[in-house]
Amino acid sequence: MFMRLSIIGVILLLLMSFMGMVHPLGDSLSVFRLPLAVLLAVLTLFCHRQPTMMITGFIIAIFSSATVLWAYQGEDVPNSYDLTVYQKNLSFRPGDRVDVLEDILMLKPDVITMQEVHKRHLPLINALKENYPYHIVCPFTAVGAVAVLSRLPLATDSFRCEIGLGMAALHIQSKEGPLWVVSIHHHWPWPFHQEDQIEQIIPILSELKGLKLLAGDFNMVPWSHIMDQYTEVTDTQMAGPFKASFLFKGTYAMRIDHVLAPKGGQTFLRPYYGSDHHGIYAQVDL
């Protein structure tokens, strides 16, 4: 009886992980969909006297894990690209991040998006200004601001700085025309304030006309309803493949840092360089 109840409980949690459009709890559970699927598969092995439950459990486990593993393959990457992006959560933890500076100067991305830009990281921003003269640093929370830097000129003098919301946007002139480059930093998912934050960000993104590129620490996995919302409202695709970019509590690796572009693109992980997030270098198609 205990085993049957355990299997039923895990099945319910897995099914709820697909219900992000109904309640944000669904997206929170989607973060753990793969380990839940593995746990279900293991539990069903001990249920051989109940073939119906065993088969049902295996089917749900296989389907659930497939949605994750398929997503981790990423989108088809373009043969060519129009823009390069360097995405980095700097982390508010101590350190000068000189390695990040050297990495950026070596890769020479067209645009940079950053999160957790603490006051101790302002020397890094200042050091980049010579090569990236167009920039915005917008206050978020105590862990630090969100920022966008560009070597490409502005398309207009337009920008958006949503203080305290975790969003900054710069309007630049790309080879394919005017482009909004948006840096995003989400709160942790439900029961924290991620859903409330997104409900404010989505309408603002809808107001930004033309091509959009989003990058940041979304604190959410690629197969979630939240990320589907972003790709839909901005008419973008997620650049892949989705290799894990963050190690939660040093034990659970997941992809929560993303780059979204009109036609997707290809991402490459960069070292931690003092942060708990990998940097992401992306070649994107506009």
Side-chain angles (χ1 to χ4, degrees):
M1 179 63 70
F2 173 77
M3 189 62 63
R4 288 168 60 189
L5 290 176
S6 298
I7 290 173
I8 291 171
V10 176
I11 287 175
L12 289 175
L13 290 174
L14 274 172
L15 294 178
M16 289 169 63
S17 76
F18 291 90
M19 295 290 119
M21 73 291 291
V22 177
H23 192 278
L25 171 61
D27 274 341
S28 295
L29 289 173
S30 73
V31 174
F32 304 101
R33 186 181 297 167
L34 185 57
L36 283 172
V38 172
L39 175 61
L40 178 60
V42 172
L43 289 175
T44 55
L45 292 175
F46 296 93
C47 203
H48 56 276
R49 294 183 180 179
Q50 306 254 342
T52 300
M53 178 168 287
M54 183 175 70
I55 293 171
T56 301
F58 264 121
I59 291 174
I60 294 174
I62 291 171
F63 173 78
S64 299
S65 58
T67 62
V68 176
L69 298 175
W70 180 264
Y72 266 93
Q73 300 305 309
E75 301 286 345
D76 292 334
V77 297
N79 294 323
S80 60
Y81 57 90
D82 302 312
L83 191 82
T84 53
V85 185
Y86 193 99
Q87 152 59 27
K88 180 68 173 178
N89 179 321
L90 292 172
S91 177
F92 64 93
R93 293 168 177 80
D96 56 15
R97 304 298 184 265
V98 65
D99 290 336
V100 176
L101 174 61
E102 293 174 353
D103 202 38
I104 290 172
L105 295 179
M106 178 190 70
L107 292 170
K108 298 181 174 62
D110 296 311
V111 295
I112 305 166
T113 54
M114 291 181 173
Q115 302 79 44
E116 295 196 23
V117 183
H118 194 269
K119 60 183 180 181
R120 67 171 61 93
H121 300 139
L122 292 182
L124 168 63
I125 301 296
N126 290 330
L128 288 168
K129 285 181 180 179
E130 181 178 355
N131 293 308
Y132 296 88
Y134 311 100
H135 50 269
I136 180 172
V137 180
C138 187
F140 178 35
T141 64
V143 299
V146 289
V148 181
L149 300 89
S150 173
R151 67 165 66 250
L152 302 177
L154 298 180
T156 66
D157 58 358
S158 296
F159 65 91
R160 294 294 295 260
C161 173
E162 303 300 326
I163 296 177
L165 190 57
M167 173 188 163
L170 205 59
H171 204 206
I172 68 168
Q173 185 66 45
S174 74
K175 63 186 294 186
E176 294 297 327
L179 172 72
W180 283 101
V181 180
V182 185
S183 177
I184 299 283
H185 191 189
H186 280 169
H187 293 295
W188 283 101
W190 189 91
F192 299 96
H193 304 296
Q194 187 177 102
E195 183 69 13
D196 295 337
Q197 182 185 14
I198 291 166
E199 287 178 355
Q200 299 177 67
I201 291 177
I202 291 292
I204 296 171
L205 293 175
S206 300
E207 296 171 4
L208 304 180
K209 303 304 180 184
L211 294 174
K212 303 177 187 69
L213 183 148
L214 281 67
D217 173 9
F218 290 82
N219 273 317
M220 185 48 63
V221 289
W223 50 89
S224 64
H225 173 65
I226 283 173
M227 297 312 300
D228 285 342
Q229 282 183 284
Y230 272 111
T231 55
E232 181 177 351
V233 77
T234 60
D235 194 22
T236 57
Q237 299 176 28
M238 298 183 67
F242 303 128
K243 295 179 180 178
S245 62
F246 176 70
L247 193 62
F248 180 68
K249 299 294 184 181
T251 56
Y252 184 47
M254 52 186 152
R255 180 61 172 259
I256 59 175
D257 303 88
H258 305 295
V259 177
L260 287 66
K263 300 297 180 183
Q266 185 171 12
T267 61
F268 306 87
L269 292 186
R270 304 302 300 161
Y272 287 111
Y273 290 140
S275 174
D276 49 359
H277 291 253
H278 280 285
I280 295 178
Y281 177 71
Q283 300 168 337
V284 301
D285 188 357
L286 301 180

